[in-house]
Amino acid sequence: MEGITDKYVNKHGRLPGERGRHGLGSWVAQDTRPEKKTPRPLHQLRAWWRASATPRFGQQMVDGLLERCRTAGSAIRHG
C-alpha cells in the first residue's frame, strides 16, 4: 500500500483523500490476490462434495440432505 500511495503522491502532489485511499486499497487487494482456479464442471464438483461429505457425515445424512434439496427444488420449479 505504501508504494502505491507514493506513486499517487508523486502524480497528484498530495495524499489521497478517503475515496482515493479506498480505491487504492481495493486495487492493491485485487493486484495481490492469487489467480482464480479454473472452474470445474458441476458434475465433478458434486462428485467431490459427496465424496468429501460422506466420510464426515455418513451416507444416510448425505443422501437425506440430497433428497430434501431435490424435493425443495422441485417444489420451487412447480410451485
Side-chain angles (χ1 to χ4, degrees):
M1 186 67 181
E2 288 179 34
I4 195 73
T5 301
D6 289 342
K7 288 181 182 180
Y8 183 94
V9 170
N10 288 336
K11 182 175 181 178
H12 300 284
R14 62 179 172 76
L15 287 170
E18 184 177 344
R19 285 181 63 189
R21 285 191 311 269
H22 178 74
L24 292 175
S26 295
W27 187 54
V28 167
Q30 290 295 321
D31 197 43
T32 58
R33 182 174 289 169
E35 292 289 323
K36 291 186 175 184
K37 297 177 183 176
T38 302
R40 294 186 198 171
L42 185 56
H43 71 275
Q44 284 182 359
L45 290 173
R46 285 183 180 147
W48 182 81
W49 292 331
R50 178 183 283 275
S52 63
T54 300
R56 186 169 183 183
F57 300 106
Q59 188 71 44
Q60 186 175 1
M61 173 74 77
V62 172
D63 288 344
L65 288 172
L66 179 60
E67 184 57 35
R68 288 173 61 188
C69 289
R70 285 180 175 153
T71 300
S74 179
I76 291 169
R77 283 189 301 277
H78 298 101

